[in-house]
Amino acid sequence: MPRIGNASRDSVGPDHQGLFDRLEALRGKPIENVFLAVANAPALCDGVLAMAMSLRQSTLLDRQLRELAVLTVGLETGADYEIAHHWNSAVKAGLPHVKLERIAEFETDDLFTAPERAVMRFARDVTRTGRVDDGLWAELCAFLDDQERLELVLTTAWYNCVVRILLPLDITLEDWFARL
């Protein structure tokens, strides 16, 4: 059971109707539960929305690599909501189901490329310890430029933040959600 109810147009009052307009325009209808929970603090929700959309729409980092990093964060933290939503994002980015089903075995499964493994190791290590060792950073430098590496850092950090919203608030999947 979620620990904070979902906000609505009625609950946020007339001064914050624009937030729901932006959520619907940028995230679609119906709005995901994580955004409805955060909308209980409308000014903060605008910031969350801006960061989420920037990471999805304004980055050079390969979408498949991004989704593998996000799914790794979800797996490491046990955030089922995150995994479910980003499974769909990964499928839309072109990742095959067979690869997604083997994410937990990425270190040893031949389906994963060396760059994919490096990105997933990075997401795992940063999620676990907040740090990355020099050897792994050098691996990333071999195939990602400075901006892409920064985007990987920001993506991993952001989705670690997201799971720290999802988990303590016990945000549940939407009734309308369907896995691709």
Side-chain angles (χ1 to χ4, degrees), residues 71 83-93 100 177-180:
L71 286 166
I83 294 167
H85 276 276
H86 284 275
W87 171 285
N88 286 1
S89 296
V91 169
K92 290 175 186 174
L100 296 174
F177 180 83
R179 184 171 164 172
L180 299 178

Side-chain angles (χ1 to χ4, degrees), residues 56-129:
R56 283 181 176 242
Q57 298 176 344
S58 302
T59 57
L60 297 177
L61 183 64
D62 178 83
R63 285 182 63 209
Q64 290 186 9
L65 293 177
R66 180 187 72 218
E67 293 305 328
L68 288 171
V70 174
L71 286 166
T72 301
V73 170
L75 183 66
E76 285 296 316
T77 58
D80 295 337
Y81 184 100
E82 179 108 338
I83 294 167
H85 276 276
H86 284 275
W87 171 285
N88 286 1
S89 296
V91 169
K92 290 175 186 174
L95 284 161
H97 283 88
V98 65
K99 187 175 276 190
L100 296 174
E101 291 164 354
R102 294 188 175 137
I103 284 180
E105 294 84 32
F106 78 89
E107 287 281 20
T108 57
D109 197 306
D110 290 340
L111 283 175
F112 295 92
T113 66
E116 289 170 338
R117 282 190 184 103
V119 164
M120 295 171 79
R121 266 188 231 114
F122 174 85
R124 179 196 62 203
D125 292 356
V126 169
T127 299
R128 287 180 180 175
T129 69

Side-chain angles (χ1 to χ4, degrees), residues 7-20 36 38-42:
S8 66
R9 284 185 181 274
D10 292 337
S11 70
V12 298
D15 292 345
H16 298 291
Q17 295 305 301
L19 170 62
F20 277 82
L36 292 174
V38 176
N40 284 292

Side-chain angles (χ1 to χ4, degrees), residues 60-61 137 140-141 143-154:
L60 297 177
L61 183 64
W137 189 257
L140 295 171
C141 289
F143 65 93
L144 297 176
D145 66 23
D146 286 349
Q147 181 173 339
E148 291 168 317
R149 288 191 310 276
L150 179 58
E151 291 171 359
L152 177 60
V153 169
L154 291 169

